[in-house]
Amino acid sequence: MSRHTNGLAIETAGLVKTFGETRAVDGVDLAVPAGTVYGVLGPNGAGKTTTVKMLATLLRPDGGEAHVFGLDVVREADEVRARVSLTGQYASVDEDLTGTENLVLLGRLLGHGKKAARVRSGQLLEAFGLTDAAGRQVKHYSGGMRRRIDIAASILSTPDLLFLDEPTTGLDPRSRNQVWDIVRAVVAQGTTVLLTTQYLDEADQLASRIAVIDHGRVIAEGTKGELKASVGAGSVHLRLRNAEQRPEAADVLRRTLDAQVQLEPDPVAVTARVGTATSGDAAEQAARALGELARAGITVDNFSLGQPSLDEVFLALTGHDTHTPKKDEVPA
Ligand SMILES: Nc1ncnc2c1ncn2[C@@H]1O[C@H](COP(=O)(O)OP(=O)(O)OP(=O)(O)O)[C@@H](O)[C@H]1O
Ligand SMILES: [Mg+2]
């Protein structure tokens, strides 16, 4: 690598993109270490796709700077394009062609010989569990198969940086897991992945670092642990012997922990947030709560103290949950 990159695959400073009145990306700073999965987490309309498109040279920024492997995405767009690949909310494969035809065609476009293109497409179709569907037109693929052929197409020649824009949105759990496995395999080969997602558990599963974006701004950035730690120490999850004791248990928890208590869909389950920075050690507080529950004659069958979920992180950072659109949001 000829450029000075500080080990970063992506570095942006004050990146801006406006569409009329909308500041879709409003001063984004990112530093994405090479060789990792970096998660960009945000709700609908947060600016994820717009950011990715600027980094992949498909959109020209209106302000700020972005470098990919030290290359300027505007002035050195061709060099950037040679090193990145993108899949996501836009088509790369042709619906009317079969799986094999698509991959062979794209391989030929990338300059592979006829035989090499066939061999590579066969390998990828097999690796992605699409061998049986190889001869079928892509328009007849299921959502999960479609997502997998999209990713297969984007790694025909191993890119240095792969953008995956919401690769699992709308997929069933099994297909999501298959895509996750593929992402892990791609990174194991040395490719850097920038993954956008609305799913907190997806970022949690795959990414080493996460930027949380909302309304075009990075509102938090760090490792998963750092993000969680910035929000609070954790949550106590309880399962009671008797569902009838739950209202009383919730009262005890509210009193002893001075915390938000949530009644779970499961009628014997209760969750309480504990240990904000000022209120002392989370384990100590949880122990005190258990003591109080026992004194009140409430039988606890199961108890765990966990780090907060990324959902809780988002709520704490933004004051709204990930699924509540803001009133000024234009539907995407
Ligand atoms: N071409 C465009 N013209 C006008 N407004 C746009 C355009 N593209 C995006 N926007 C607006 O910019 C904002 C950010 O959109 P963007 O697609 O980047 O969000 P996103 O985080 O990818 O959302 P989603 O999760 O729904 O894909 C939104 O308010 C959107 O309506
Ligand atoms: Mg998007």
Side-chain angles (χ1 to χ4, degrees):
M1 233 173 280
S2 56
R3 304 300 180 101
H4 188 65
T5 63
N6 290 327
L8 297 177
I10 300 171
E11 194 170 20
T12 76
L15 201 60
V16 171
K17 184 73 200 177
T18 55
F19 297 109
E21 296 287 283
T22 311
R23 290 180 78 81
V25 175
D26 194 10
V28 162
D29 300 335
L30 287 177
V32 176
T36 63
V37 180
Y38 191 93
V40 173
L41 178 67
N44 281 131
K48 302 182 296 296
T49 297
T50 307
T51 301
V52 164
K53 282 187 171 172
M54 286 190 283
L55 294 172
T57 76
L58 300 179
L59 266 182
R60 201 187 164 94
D62 294 316
E65 284 191 23
H67 289 89
V68 168
F69 298 112
L71 301 159
D72 187 293
V73 297
V74 177
R75 286 194 300 276
E76 296 165 300
D78 288 343
E79 292 92 326
V80 171
R81 235 169 274 142
R83 300 192 58 179
V84 307
S85 188
L86 166 124
T87 173
Q89 296 180 315
Y90 9 72
S92 59
V93 300
D94 186 329
E95 300 266 323
D96 289 323
L97 299 181
T98 67
T100 298
E101 287 165 349
N102 264 297
L103 295 190
V104 170
L105 178 70
L106 285 165
R108 300 283 285 147
L109 289 172
L110 288 167
H112 299 177
K114 215 180 226 166
K115 175 126 185 287
R118 288 217 148 264
V119 169
R120 178 74 178 143
S121 85
Q123 287 169 344
L124 283 169
L125 289 163
E126 168 142 29
F128 286 36
L130 292 170
T131 304
D132 290 344
R136 261 190 275 154
Q137 285 177 306
V138 166
K139 66 180 166 205
H140 299 308
Y141 281 18
S142 71
M145 290 158 72
R146 175 59 203 255
R147 224 58 70 89
R148 281 180 275 146
I149 193 92
D150 276 339
I151 300 177
S154 65
I155 60 170
L156 260 172
S157 64
T158 314
D160 292 327
L161 172 61
L162 174 64
F163 296 103
L164 292 175
D165 192 11
E166 299 196 33
T168 67
T169 296
L171 297 188
D172 64 32
R174 187 164 159 268
S175 304
R176 289 181 78 197
N177 274 304
Q178 287 174 331
V179 170
W180 289 353
D181 286 342
I182 291 167
V183 174
R184 292 187 186 106
V186 168
V187 174
Q189 288 181 12
T191 295
T192 305
V193 175
L194 183 94
L195 169 96
T196 78
T197 182
Q198 298 186 40
Y199 300 123
L200 307 146
D201 62 327
E202 180 157 287
D204 208 1
Q205 283 282 330
L206 295 176
S208 3
R209 295 187 75 86
I210 297 168
V212 183
I213 70 167
D214 196 30
H215 297 277
R217 297 219 173 111
V218 177
I219 56 169
E221 202 276 342
T223 63
K224 285 175 287 193
E226 284 166 359
L227 277 181
K228 289 171 175 176
S230 71
V231 169
S235 303
V236 177
H237 304 279
L238 292 178
R239 290 176 61 81
L240 307 173
R241 174 74 48 86
N242 305 309
E244 312 87 73
Q245 292 189 317
R246 188 163 79 160
E248 197 187 344
D251 277 345
V252 171
L253 291 172
R254 263 185 220 108
R255 241 186 309 116
T256 49
L257 298 174
D258 192 23
Q260 252 180 298
V261 175
Q262 198 183 329
L263 303 179
E264 303 295 340
D266 177 347
V268 294
V270 191
T271 299
R273 296 252 319 262
V274 293
T276 50
T278 50
S279 53
D281 180 62
E284 203 174 280
Q285 286 187 61
R288 195 153 42 82
L290 275 179
E292 290 295 324
L293 289 166
R295 257 189 293 283
I298 296 167
T299 314
V300 175
D301 268 352
N302 195 296
F303 163 85
S304 66
L305 177 62
Q307 280 203 308
S309 71
L310 282 169
D311 258 320
E312 291 168 307
V313 170
F314 205 91
L315 185 61
L317 291 171
T318 64
H320 61 87
D321 66 36
T322 52
H323 307 295
T324 313
K326 301 284 270 278
K327 53 182 178 311
D328 58 338
E329 189 175 293
V330 186

PDB file of all heavy atoms in Angstrom, residues 24-47:
ATOM      1  N   ALA A  24     -28.909  14.901   4.550  1.00  0.00           N
ATOM      2  CA  ALA A  24     -28.959  13.437   4.707  1.00  0.00           C
ATOM      3  C   ALA A  24     -27.750  12.943   5.480  1.00  0.00           C
ATOM      4  O   ALA A  24     -27.852  12.040   6.314  1.00  0.00           O
ATOM      5  CB  ALA A  24     -29.031  12.766   3.340  1.00  0.00           C
ATOM      6  N   VAL A  25     -26.581  13.532   5.204  1.00  0.00           N
ATOM      7  CA  VAL A  25     -25.363  13.235   5.951  1.00  0.00           C
ATOM      8  C   VAL A  25     -24.826  14.588   6.399  1.00  0.00           C
ATOM      9  O   VAL A  25     -24.619  15.483   5.593  1.00  0.00           O
ATOM     10  CB  VAL A  25     -24.345  12.469   5.076  1.00  0.00           C
ATOM     11  CG1 VAL A  25     -23.030  12.272   5.804  1.00  0.00           C
ATOM     12  CG2 VAL A  25     -24.931  11.116   4.646  1.00  0.00           C
ATOM     13  N   ASP A  26     -24.645  14.728   7.693  1.00  0.00           N
ATOM     14  CA  ASP A  26     -24.502  16.063   8.266  1.00  0.00           C
ATOM     15  C   ASP A  26     -23.214  16.202   9.076  1.00  0.00           C
ATOM     16  O   ASP A  26     -23.250  16.504  10.272  1.00  0.00           O
ATOM     17  CB  ASP A  26     -25.735  16.317   9.148  1.00  0.00           C
ATOM     18  CG  ASP A  26     -25.878  17.788   9.537  1.00  0.00           C
ATOM     19  OD1 ASP A  26     -25.146  18.620   8.987  1.00  0.00           O
ATOM     20  OD2 ASP A  26     -26.731  18.070  10.407  1.00  0.00           O
ATOM     21  N   GLY A  27     -22.077  15.905   8.426  1.00  0.00           N
ATOM     22  CA  GLY A  27     -20.798  16.053   9.134  1.00  0.00           C
ATOM     23  C   GLY A  27     -20.369  14.768   9.796  1.00  0.00           C
ATOM     24  O   GLY A  27     -20.205  14.706  11.014  1.00  0.00           O
ATOM     25  N   VAL A  28     -20.148  13.736   8.984  1.00  0.00           N
ATOM     26  CA  VAL A  28     -19.816  12.423   9.542  1.00  0.00           C
ATOM     27  C   VAL A  28     -18.299  12.203   9.541  1.00  0.00           C
ATOM     28  O   VAL A  28     -17.633  12.386   8.532  1.00  0.00           O
ATOM     29  CB  VAL A  28     -20.529  11.303   8.742  1.00  0.00           C
ATOM     30  CG1 VAL A  28     -19.881   9.950   8.989  1.00  0.00           C
ATOM     31  CG2 VAL A  28     -22.011  11.254   9.126  1.00  0.00           C
ATOM     32  N   ASP A  29     -17.775  11.847  10.709  1.00  0.00           N
ATOM     33  CA  ASP A  29     -16.373  11.447  10.861  1.00  0.00           C
ATOM     34  C   ASP A  29     -16.337   9.949  11.135  1.00  0.00           C
ATOM     35  O   ASP A  29     -16.972   9.482  12.074  1.00  0.00           O
ATOM     36  CB  ASP A  29     -15.729  12.147  12.073  1.00  0.00           C
ATOM     37  CG  ASP A  29     -15.756  13.662  11.944  1.00  0.00           C
ATOM     38  OD1 ASP A  29     -15.818  14.161  10.807  1.00  0.00           O
ATOM     39  OD2 ASP A  29     -15.728  14.333  12.992  1.00  0.00           O
ATOM     40  N   LEU A  30     -15.591   9.241  10.307  1.00  0.00           N
ATOM     41  CA  LEU A  30     -15.463   7.805  10.524  1.00  0.00           C
ATOM     42  C   LEU A  30     -13.995   7.406  10.407  1.00  0.00           C
ATOM     43  O   LEU A  30     -13.257   7.984   9.610  1.00  0.00           O
ATOM     44  CB  LEU A  30     -16.234   7.006   9.459  1.00  0.00           C
ATOM     45  CG  LEU A  30     -17.753   6.973   9.504  1.00  0.00           C
ATOM     46  CD1 LEU A  30     -18.266   6.190   8.294  1.00  0.00           C
ATOM     47  CD2 LEU A  30     -18.250   6.337  10.795  1.00  0.00           C
ATOM     48  N   ALA A  31     -13.596   6.409  11.171  1.00  0.00           N
ATOM     49  CA  ALA A  31     -12.265   5.816  11.039  1.00  0.00           C
ATOM     50  C   ALA A  31     -12.457   4.307  11.136  1.00  0.00           C
ATOM     51  O   ALA A  31     -12.757   3.779  12.199  1.00  0.00           O
ATOM     52  CB  ALA A  31     -11.340   6.310  12.144  1.00  0.00           C
ATOM     53  N   VAL A  32     -12.350   3.641  10.004  1.00  0.00           N
ATOM     54  CA  VAL A  32     -12.638   2.213   9.934  1.00  0.00           C
ATOM     55  C   VAL A  32     -11.342   1.427   9.794  1.00  0.00           C
ATOM     56  O   VAL A  32     -10.667   1.524   8.760  1.00  0.00           O
ATOM     57  CB  VAL A  32     -13.562   1.912   8.727  1.00  0.00           C
ATOM     58  CG1 VAL A  32     -13.789   0.412   8.581  1.00  0.00           C
ATOM     59  CG2 VAL A  32     -14.885   2.659   8.866  1.00  0.00           C
ATOM     60  N   PRO A  33     -10.948   0.673  10.830  1.00  0.00           N
ATOM     61  CA  PRO A  33      -9.707  -0.097  10.749  1.00  0.00           C
ATOM     62  C   PRO A  33      -9.788  -1.169   9.649  1.00  0.00           C
ATOM     63  O   PRO A  33     -10.821  -1.819   9.500  1.00  0.00           O
ATOM     64  CB  PRO A  33      -9.607  -0.764  12.126  1.00  0.00           C
ATOM     65  CG  PRO A  33     -10.562  -0.035  13.012  1.00  0.00           C
ATOM     66  CD  PRO A  33     -11.635   0.496  12.116  1.00  0.00           C
ATOM     67  N   ALA A  34      -8.701  -1.317   8.888  1.00  0.00           N
ATOM     68  CA  ALA A  34      -8.665  -2.331   7.831  1.00  0.00           C
ATOM     69  C   ALA A  34      -8.756  -3.730   8.435  1.00  0.00           C
ATOM     70  O   ALA A  34      -8.300  -3.974   9.550  1.00  0.00           O
ATOM     71  CB  ALA A  34      -7.387  -2.179   7.019  1.00  0.00           C
ATOM     72  N   GLY A  35      -9.401  -4.626   7.703  1.00  0.00           N
ATOM     73  CA  GLY A  35      -9.455  -6.024   8.108  1.00  0.00           C
ATOM     74  C   GLY A  35     -10.526  -6.368   9.120  1.00  0.00           C
ATOM     75  O   GLY A  35     -10.520  -7.464   9.684  1.00  0.00           O
ATOM     76  N   THR A  36     -11.440  -5.437   9.358  1.00  0.00           N
ATOM     77  CA  THR A  36     -12.477  -5.682  10.359  1.00  0.00           C
ATOM     78  C   THR A  36     -13.861  -5.495   9.739  1.00  0.00           C
ATOM     79  O   THR A  36     -13.984  -5.016   8.624  1.00  0.00           O
ATOM     80  CB  THR A  36     -12.384  -4.668  11.524  1.00  0.00           C
ATOM     81  OG1 THR A  36     -12.623  -3.345  11.010  1.00  0.00           O
ATOM     82  CG2 THR A  36     -11.011  -4.699  12.171  1.00  0.00           C
ATOM     83  N   VAL A  37     -14.891  -5.893  10.491  1.00  0.00           N
ATOM     84  CA  VAL A  37     -16.255  -5.507  10.143  1.00  0.00           C
ATOM     85  C   VAL A  37     -16.584  -4.275  10.968  1.00  0.00           C
ATOM     86  O   VAL A  37     -16.456  -4.286  12.202  1.00  0.00           O
ATOM     87  CB  VAL A  37     -17.291  -6.602  10.474  1.00  0.00           C
ATOM     88  CG1 VAL A  37     -18.694  -6.132  10.091  1.00  0.00           C
ATOM     89  CG2 VAL A  37     -16.967  -7.901   9.761  1.00  0.00           C
ATOM     90  N   TYR A  38     -16.993  -3.220  10.288  1.00  0.00           N
ATOM     91  CA  TYR A  38     -17.363  -1.992  10.980  1.00  0.00           C
ATOM     92  C   TYR A  38     -18.862  -1.812  10.796  1.00  0.00           C
ATOM     93  O   TYR A  38     -19.360  -1.829   9.671  1.00  0.00           O
ATOM     94  CB  TYR A  38     -16.589  -0.821  10.381  1.00  0.00           C
ATOM     95  CG  TYR A  38     -16.698   0.450  11.182  1.00  0.00           C
ATOM     96  CD1 TYR A  38     -15.745   0.762  12.144  1.00  0.00           C
ATOM     97  CD2 TYR A  38     -17.762   1.323  10.992  1.00  0.00           C
ATOM     98  CE1 TYR A  38     -15.843   1.922  12.892  1.00  0.00           C
ATOM     99  CE2 TYR A  38     -17.870   2.485  11.735  1.00  0.00           C
ATOM    100  CZ  TYR A  38     -16.908   2.781  12.687  1.00  0.00           C
ATOM    101  OH  TYR A  38     -17.013   3.926  13.425  1.00  0.00           O
ATOM    102  N   GLY A  39     -19.577  -1.644  11.864  1.00  0.00           N
ATOM    103  CA  GLY A  39     -21.027  -1.528  11.787  1.00  0.00           C
ATOM    104  C   GLY A  39     -21.479  -0.080  11.804  1.00  0.00           C
ATOM    105  O   GLY A  39     -21.016   0.704  12.629  1.00  0.00           O
ATOM    106  N   VAL A  40     -22.346   0.282  10.879  1.00  0.00           N
ATOM    107  CA  VAL A  40     -22.994   1.599  10.920  1.00  0.00           C
ATOM    108  C   VAL A  40     -24.470   1.340  11.195  1.00  0.00           C
ATOM    109  O   VAL A  40     -25.175   0.760  10.380  1.00  0.00           O
ATOM    110  CB  VAL A  40     -22.809   2.369   9.599  1.00  0.00           C
ATOM    111  CG1 VAL A  40     -23.626   3.654   9.609  1.00  0.00           C
ATOM    112  CG2 VAL A  40     -21.333   2.686   9.385  1.00  0.00           C
ATOM    113  N   LEU A  41     -24.850   1.733  12.387  1.00  0.00           N
ATOM    114  CA  LEU A  41     -26.157   1.354  12.884  1.00  0.00           C
ATOM    115  C   LEU A  41     -27.058   2.575  12.948  1.00  0.00           C
ATOM    116  O   LEU A  41     -26.671   3.611  13.486  1.00  0.00           O
ATOM    117  CB  LEU A  41     -25.933   0.796  14.289  1.00  0.00           C
ATOM    118  CG  LEU A  41     -27.103   0.352  15.114  1.00  0.00           C
ATOM    119  CD1 LEU A  41     -27.744  -0.869  14.507  1.00  0.00           C
ATOM    120  CD2 LEU A  41     -26.628   0.038  16.526  1.00  0.00           C
ATOM    121  N   GLY A  42     -28.234   2.463  12.367  1.00  0.00           N
ATOM    122  CA  GLY A  42     -29.139   3.603  12.445  1.00  0.00           C
ATOM    123  C   GLY A  42     -30.495   3.249  11.877  1.00  0.00           C
ATOM    124  O   GLY A  42     -30.620   2.333  11.064  1.00  0.00           O
ATOM    125  N   PRO A  43     -31.506   3.997  12.293  1.00  0.00           N
ATOM    126  CA  PRO A  43     -32.869   3.718  11.837  1.00  0.00           C
ATOM    127  C   PRO A  43     -33.089   4.183  10.396  1.00  0.00           C
ATOM    128  O   PRO A  43     -32.209   4.770   9.779  1.00  0.00           O
ATOM    129  CB  PRO A  43     -33.734   4.519  12.814  1.00  0.00           C
ATOM    130  CG  PRO A  43     -32.862   5.630  13.288  1.00  0.00           C
ATOM    131  CD  PRO A  43     -31.445   5.097  13.261  1.00  0.00           C
ATOM    132  N   ASN A  44     -34.289   3.964   9.874  1.00  0.00           N
ATOM    133  CA  ASN A  44     -34.669   4.420   8.537  1.00  0.00           C
ATOM    134  C   ASN A  44     -34.361   5.895   8.384  1.00  0.00           C
ATOM    135  O   ASN A  44     -34.697   6.700   9.261  1.00  0.00           O
ATOM    136  CB  ASN A  44     -36.177   4.254   8.299  1.00  0.00           C
ATOM    137  CG  ASN A  44     -36.555   2.824   7.963  1.00  0.00           C
ATOM    138  OD1 ASN A  44     -37.487   2.288   8.548  1.00  0.00           O
ATOM    139  ND2 ASN A  44     -35.853   2.207   7.061  1.00  0.00           N
ATOM    140  N   GLY A  45     -33.728   6.251   7.282  1.00  0.00           N
ATOM    141  CA  GLY A  45     -33.502   7.653   6.979  1.00  0.00           C
ATOM    142  C   GLY A  45     -32.347   8.291   7.727  1.00  0.00           C
ATOM    143  O   GLY A  45     -32.140   9.502   7.643  1.00  0.00           O
ATOM    144  N   ALA A  46     -31.559   7.480   8.445  1.00  0.00           N
ATOM    145  CA  ALA A  46     -30.457   8.031   9.242  1.00  0.00           C
ATOM    146  C   ALA A  46     -29.324   8.579   8.379  1.00  0.00           C
ATOM    147  O   ALA A  46     -28.552   9.432   8.825  1.00  0.00           O
ATOM    148  CB  ALA A  46     -29.912   6.958  10.188  1.00  0.00           C
ATOM    149  N   GLY A  47     -29.227   8.082   7.153  1.00  0.00           N
ATOM    150  CA  GLY A  47     -28.146   8.531   6.265  1.00  0.00           C
ATOM    151  C   GLY A  47     -27.142   7.439   5.937  1.00  0.00           C
ATOM    152  O   GLY A  47     -26.066   7.722   5.403  1.00  0.00           O
TER     153      GLY A  47
END
